[in-house]
């Protein structure tokens, strides 16, 4: 997976950097533009968003096995991101959150942590998870090596989109009801990246427009699809065909 980002220092002539989406994309890595400007790059958008988009684009290409696995990876990644955002909202300590996340190394632990976070944030509501048939489908593909067809992939895609949409809707509602000043997932993502940059020795305070062009790092944010943490969802957006609708847009962004 790769994505283009513009070079902030090439102001006279636009220049783009084709960045590979790998582990360094999320933890930070050095990149350079065709003109030789070098930057420390880190994504300020969550991992799940890119996995979701890869799942959509793989589906469009007819790579249903890859799409299925990528979408399910997005499902697991999103639960961890949701738990992290909730935990950080409560304790405001990135190191404690980081340590806590290392304990969620098994699916059942992560599922329990997600349900607990959701109940806490929603004042008692239980999230609607995957159905038994969807879990069995996942087990057949992941553990038994069954090759999913288009219909099976679309089924799991719609289920996962609705699940993630439900979590994002809850976060958006809390903002609209003024429980939270800003979306808690955006706050966690921004503070996590800002902390990474400070640890690397960068001054992240922007005092003037010139600072935007002279900084030596790129903190990259993008809304790839409806499940972006930058998108404020409404009740009407949550349907049983969210993945199907996204596929119909036929947007290739990271291929």
């Amino acid at each position: 997976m790769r994505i283009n980002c513009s070079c902030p220092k090439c102001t006279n002539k636009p220049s783009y950097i084709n960045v590979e989406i790998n582990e360094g994309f999320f933890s930070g890595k050095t990149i350079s533009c065709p003109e030789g400007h070098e930057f420390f790059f880190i994504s300020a958008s969550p991992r799940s968003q890119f996995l979701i988009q890869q799942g959509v684009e793989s589906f469009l290409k007819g790579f249903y096995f890859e799409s299925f696995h990528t979408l399910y990876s997005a499902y697991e990644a999103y639960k961890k991101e949701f738990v992290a955002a909730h935990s950080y909202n409560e304790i405001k300590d990135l190191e404690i959150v980081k340590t806590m996340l290392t304990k969620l190394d098994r699916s059942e632990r992560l599922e329990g942590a997600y349900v607990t976070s959701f109940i806490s944030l929603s004042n008692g509501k239980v999230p609607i998870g995957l159905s038994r048939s969807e879990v069995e489908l996942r087990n057949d593909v992941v553990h038994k090596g069954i090759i999913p067809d288009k219909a099976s992939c679309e089924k799991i895609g719609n289920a996962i989109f609705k699940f993630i949409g439900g979590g994002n809707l809850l976060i958006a509602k809390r903002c609209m009801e003024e429980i939270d000043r800003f979306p808690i997932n955006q706050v966690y993502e921004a503070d996590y990246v800002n902390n990474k940059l400070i640890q690397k020795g960068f001054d992240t305070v922007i005092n003037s427009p010139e600072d935007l062009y002279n900084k030596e790092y790129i903190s990259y944010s993008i809304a790839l699809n409806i499940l972006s943490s930058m998108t404020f969802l409404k009740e009407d957006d949550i349907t049983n065909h969210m993945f199907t609708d996204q596929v119909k847009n036929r947007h290739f962004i990271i291929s």
Side-chain angles (χ1 to χ4, degrees):
M1 298 186 288
R2 308 186 76 91
I3 196 165
N4 285 328
C5 73
S6 60
C7 173
K9 290 189 176 181
C10 290
T11 54
N12 295 326
K13 178 183 176 183
S15 176
Y16 295 93
I17 310 167
N18 191 237
V19 186
E20 183 180 2
I21 303 173
N22 52 18
E23 285 304 305
F25 189 87
F26 302 102
S27 62
K29 62 181 179 179
T30 300
I31 63 171
S32 58
C33 81
E35 301 301 317
H37 298 129
E38 193 171 270
F39 303 94
F40 178 79
F41 176 99
I42 187 168
S43 174
S45 295
R47 178 188 302 266
S48 63
Q49 181 182 181
F50 292 91
L51 291 169
I52 288 163
Q53 187 63 27
Q54 182 62 35
V56 169
E57 296 186 22
S58 294
F59 184 90
L60 287 168
K61 295 175 183 176
F63 301 153
Y64 303 125
F65 188 78
E66 177 183 325
S67 177
F68 191 106
H69 275 268
T70 308
L71 288 168
Y72 196 82
S73 293
Y75 168 74
E76 294 285 297
Y78 176 78
K79 287 189 287 187
K80 185 172 286 190
E81 293 159 5
F82 188 95
V83 171
H86 169 238
S87 299
Y88 184 64
N89 187 57
E90 296 293 315
I91 61 178
K92 291 294 186 291
D93 190 313
L94 288 167
E95 287 304 313
I96 292 178
V97 173
K98 180 181 177 181
T99 301
M100 180 271 297
L101 292 177
T102 64
K103 308 297 182 183
L104 304 180
D105 55 351
R106 300 180 63 176
S107 293
E108 56 269 28
R109 289 182 182 177
L110 179 56
E111 181 69 20
Y114 177 82
V115 171
T116 300
S117 288
F118 193 99
I119 290 173
S120 176
L121 289 168
S122 64
N123 291 322
K125 294 181 181 179
V126 178
I128 299 174
L130 301 185
S131 69
R132 176 173 292 185
S133 66
E134 289 156 355
V135 172
E136 290 174 350
L137 174 59
R138 176 263 180 191
N139 291 340
D140 285 344
V141 173
V142 174
H143 297 304
K144 297 181 181 179
I146 300 300
I147 307 298
D149 57 13
K150 181 178 180 180
S152 297
C153 191
E154 190 167 1
K155 177 181 179 179
I156 204 70
N158 280 319
I160 289 171
F161 263 59
K162 187 175 182 180
F163 176 87
I164 296 176
N168 284 352
L169 177 63
L170 170 59
I171 291 172
K173 278 183 173 180
R174 286 175 60 89
C175 269
M176 289 184 282
E177 294 169 3
E178 298 185 349
I179 299 172
D180 302 314
R181 186 177 180 186
F182 301 106
I184 63 170
N185 50 355
Q186 291 184 19
V187 172
Y188 171 71
E189 291 156 13
D191 286 2
Y192 173 84
V193 169
N194 195 57
N195 183 63
K196 279 273 190 180
L197 292 170
I198 291 172
Q199 287 179 348
K200 287 286 184 179
F202 295 107
D203 182 0
T204 59
V205 178
I206 304 298
N207 295 312
S208 67
E210 288 75 21
D211 290 343
L212 287 172
Y213 301 110
N214 293 326
K215 62 184 184 179
E216 302 297 322
Y217 65 87
I218 296 175
S219 175
Y220 186 76
S221 296
I222 186 172
L224 287 171
N225 46 60
I226 193 172
L227 296 181
S228 164
S229 58
M230 300 165 66
T231 302
F232 257 51
L233 292 178
K234 305 182 296 296
E235 290 278 2
D236 292 346
D237 293 322
I238 311 301
T239 69
N240 293 321
H241 46 78
M242 294 175 72
F243 176 74
T244 301
D245 293 341
Q246 192 70 47
V247 165
K248 288 178 181 178
N249 291 332
R250 298 194 65 81
H251 290 160
F252 290 90
I253 304 173
I254 62 176
S255 294

